[in-house]
């Protein structure tokens, strides 16, 4: 009798192919399918073996899987996922598991989970971070869904995941229904913020200090040898050092300054606004990409407004020290905002998310993997994984207090020199506001009550009050 396969994977784009190869390399039998059969045939011709094959029809794919069937979908988020699920439904049996490993919106995962549960099926919305290389060599994996589905999938997922700083697999059961995709969405938002802060550092070094790409690479290399050690700083060095193949100079200077985005950062910003969460750094990172896309407008307006030409007040050697401190503090602030949003969503969606575990599985495989995450993991471990605000943890408070002066100085110098710092600046503003006993919102409440009788609360008495500010109230 022909041996059945352990798991199936539908959708052989770059990520799908890499993930299929990763699973097969761990000696699990993987059966693949792609709507365009030639893609699947060519893939198997190149990489196929006893553990990796393909089927031309979905019914045969399902038929040749061990029960309960485990089927990973890796197609474009949105309608395409629903279409694949609809095709699969008549072929599945009670207890089978459908896994969406794409960048789907978490609310879609909540809906799909409820729909499949009614049919006796398990749905897993699974975030996968690490790009093509991570999918192949070991990604950070964030599965949501039922405990039963986690029990069935965990042996495979633990084998294919990256390793954290202690050598444990970078995968955990994040929570029910859409929790996995939600955490992946916030992960991507934090990624937006960190990348933008690094870009702001690059901008100051080239515009204020006039450094060439290779000199900035030297500074970033030094940063990557210390507390800012991370995947993003690691890849930034060869990016800055790469010579242009088409003309003299560095490639980075010929790359158009228009940043793209696929939507996950925007999803986080919208979700934060809808929940009433405070997420300025990630939101400003989205806006920074949007304004970068307005290239023609920027070129026109740059001719009308000249930038300051004053000399930098701080020597370069000293400024790089300040910049390292500002980036470190700004990134902690960005993480704090992201986890504040996750905590709020977890309460509203009734997800039991372990923050220490989330930081741990981000230590390896994912795009934002960094030494800082081990620091955050230990901090959350002291809080027993509970959703406390990062700034309340003793070690985090000490770190921020140490870097605060430099953080303020860098943002101030950027403003003085005409350099926009949407993320370093907004992360600092968030810190200043969230740690302030008194904010000027009382002034706003006075205005709201004046023009709209919106009422206000008092500091010395309980209740809701309205003042007759004008003759119209008399």
């Amino acid at each position: 009798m022909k041996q059945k396969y352990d798991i199936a994977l539908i959708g052989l784009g770059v990520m799908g192919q890499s993930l299929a190869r990763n699973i097969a390399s761990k000696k699990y039998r993987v059966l693949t399918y792609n709507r365009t059969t030639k893609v699947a045939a060519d893939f198997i011709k190149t990489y196929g073996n006893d553990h990796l094959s393909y089927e031309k029809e979905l019914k045969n794919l399902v038929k040749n899987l061990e029960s309960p069937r485990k089927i990973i979908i890796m197609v474009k988020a949105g309608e395409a996922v629903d279409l694949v699920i609809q095709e699969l439904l008549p072929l599945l049996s009670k207890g089978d598991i459908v896994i969406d490993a794409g960048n789907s919106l978490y609310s879609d995962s909540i809906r799909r989970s409820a729909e499949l549960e009614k049919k006796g099926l398990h749905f897993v919305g699974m975030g996968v971070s690490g790009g093509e290389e991570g999918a192949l060599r070991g990604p950070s994996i964030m599965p949501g869904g039922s405990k039963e589905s986690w029990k069935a999938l965990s042996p495979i997922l633990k084998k294919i995941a990256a390793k954290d700083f202690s050598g444990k697999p970078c995968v955990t059961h994040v929570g029910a229904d859409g929790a996995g995709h939600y955490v992946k969405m916030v992960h991507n938002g934090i990624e937006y913020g960190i990348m933008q802060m690094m870009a702001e550092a690059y901008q100051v070094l080239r515009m204020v200090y006039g450094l060439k790409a290779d000199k900035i690479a030297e500074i970033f290399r030094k940063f990557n040898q210390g507390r800012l050690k991370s995947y993003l700083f690691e890849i930034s060095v060869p990016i800055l050092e790469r010579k242009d193949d088409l003309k003299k100079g560095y490639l980075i200077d010929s790359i158009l300054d228009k940043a793209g985005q696929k939507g996950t950062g925007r999803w986080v910003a919208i979700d934060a606004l809808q929940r009433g969460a405070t997420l300025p750094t990630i939101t400003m990172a989205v806006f920074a990409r949007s304004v970068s896309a307005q290239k023609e407008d920027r070129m026109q307006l740059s001719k009308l407004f000249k930038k300051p030409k004053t000399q930098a007040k701080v020597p370069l050697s000293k400024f790089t020290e300040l910049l390292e401190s500002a980036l470190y503090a700004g990134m902690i602030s960005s993480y704090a905002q992201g986890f504040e949003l996750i905590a709020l969503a977890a309460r509203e969606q009734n997800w039991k998310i372990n923050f220490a575990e989330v930081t741990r599985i981000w230590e390896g495989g994912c795009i934002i993997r960094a030494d800082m995450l081990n620091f955050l993991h230990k901090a959350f471990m002291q809080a027993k994984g509970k959703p406390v605000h990062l700034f309340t943890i003793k070690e985090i408070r000490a770190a921020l207090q140490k870097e605060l002066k430099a953080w303020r100085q860098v943002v101030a110098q950027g403003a003085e020199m005409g350099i926009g710092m949407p993320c370093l600046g907004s992360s600092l503003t968030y810190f200043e506001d969230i740690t302030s006993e008194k904010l000027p919102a009382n002034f706003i409440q006075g205005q709201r009550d004046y023009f709209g009788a919106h009422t206000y609360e008092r500091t010395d008495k309980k209740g809701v009050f309205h003042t007759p500010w004008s003759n119209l109230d008399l």
Side-chain angles (χ1 to χ4, degrees), residues 155-169:
I156 297 176
L157 298 182
K158 288 177 180 179
K159 285 283 188 180
I160 67 170
K163 298 294 187 289
D164 67 15
F165 294 143
S166 299
K168 298 177 181 178

Side-chain angles (χ1 to χ4, degrees), residues 316-334:
L316 177 61
S317 59
K318 176 62 177 176
F319 183 76
T320 54
E321 295 177 10
L322 298 175
L323 187 59
E324 182 180 19
S325 293
L327 286 167
Y328 189 73
M331 289 174 187
I332 290 177
S333 178
S334 183

Side-chain angles (χ1 to χ4, degrees), residues 129-399:
S129 179
E132 179 184 357
E133 182 181 356
L136 179 62
R137 305 187 188 284
S140 173
I141 309 175
M142 295 152 261
S146 65
K147 291 180 181 179
E148 292 84 358
S149 61
W150 166 245
K151 185 178 180 180
L153 290 171
S154 60
I156 297 176
L157 298 182
K158 288 177 180 179
K159 285 283 188 180
I160 67 170
K163 298 294 187 289
D164 67 15
F165 294 143
S166 299
K168 298 177 181 178
C170 290
V171 60
T172 193
H173 181 224
V174 176
D177 48 62
H181 271 142
Y182 193 89
V183 167
K184 174 57 164 59
M185 179 184 76
V186 176
H187 163 285
N188 285 21
I190 293 170
E191 177 185 308
Y192 269 55
I194 291 173
M195 291 173 70
Q196 177 61 31
M197 280 186 262
M198 292 174 66
E200 291 163 22
Y202 160 78
Q203 182 77 333
V204 173
L205 291 171
R206 71 166 174 165
M207 300 302 291
V208 176
Y209 289 91
L211 298 187
K212 300 295 184 184
D214 60 334
K215 297 300 180 184
I216 300 175
E218 290 178 12
I219 293 171
F220 280 14
R221 181 181 286 109
K222 184 178 179 182
F223 285 172
N224 194 48
Q225 293 168 349
R227 54 192 166 161
L228 293 176
K229 182 176 174 59
S230 63
Y231 172 72
L232 285 171
F233 268 110
E234 178 187 324
I235 66 171
S236 295
V237 173
I239 289 170
L240 290 165
E241 291 180 333
R242 182 64 179 262
K243 293 290 183 68
D244 197 330
D245 293 333
L246 302 180
K247 67 178 185 179
K248 187 177 180 181
Y250 294 94
L251 176 61
I252 193 72
D253 296 322
S254 295
I255 296 177
L256 186 64
D257 55 332
K258 290 173 65 173
Q261 52 182 312
K262 290 189 175 180
T264 48
R266 192 184 306 118
W267 289 349
V268 186
I270 292 171
D271 190 77
L273 289 168
Q274 290 175 334
R275 294 185 192 275
T278 312
L279 205 74
T281 303
I282 294 171
T283 304
M284 288 306 299
V286 175
F287 288 151
R289 294 196 186 189
S290 297
V291 78
S292 77
Q294 296 176 261
K295 179 66 175 179
E296 292 183 5
D297 291 339
R298 290 190 288 114
M299 290 180 67
Q300 181 180 358
L301 291 169
S302 68
K303 297 172 184 176
L304 305 178
F305 298 91
K306 300 300 179 184
K307 299 294 183 183
K309 292 185 178 180
T310 54
Q311 294 294 316
K313 293 183 178 181
V314 182
L316 177 61
S317 59
K318 176 62 177 176
F319 183 76
T320 54
E321 295 177 10
L322 298 175
L323 187 59
E324 182 180 19
S325 293
L327 286 167
Y328 189 73
M331 289 174 187
I332 290 177
S333 178
S334 183
Y335 276 109
Q337 295 165 47
F339 280 109
E340 183 183 2
L341 177 60
I342 293 174
L344 179 58
R347 287 196 298 271
E348 294 179 350
Q349 304 293 158
N350 198 29
W351 293 328
K352 291 177 173 56
I353 297 177
N354 186 317
F355 280 24
E357 274 290 274
V358 171
T359 50
R360 182 190 68 77
I361 66 172
W362 287 352
E363 288 179 1
C366 71
I367 302 301
I368 61 172
R369 61 185 183 266
D371 281 12
M372 180 185 291
L373 280 159
N374 189 241
F375 175 52
L376 298 181
H377 170 62
K378 290 176 180 176
F380 276 127
M381 284 288 286
Q382 290 192 8
K384 298 181 180 179
K386 294 180 180 178
V388 298
H389 196 289
L390 264 179
F391 293 174
T392 65
I393 300 172
K394 182 179 178 181
E395 289 73 15
I396 301 294
R397 293 203 311 271

Side-chain angles (χ1 to χ4, degrees), residues 40-81:
D42 289 346
F43 170 63
I44 296 304
K45 184 178 180 181
T46 305
Y47 299 108
N49 52 46
D50 290 342
H51 291 88
L52 186 59
S53 188
Y54 84 104
E55 279 288 351
K56 295 180 181 180
E57 297 183 12
L58 279 179
K59 64 179 181 181
N60 291 332
L61 177 114
V62 174
K63 181 180 177 182
N64 286 304
L65 291 176
E66 290 280 3
S67 293
R69 302 178 182 94
K70 308 169 191 69
I71 303 174
I72 298 174
I73 300 173
M74 292 206 75
V75 299
K76 186 177 180 180
E79 184 182 6
V81 178

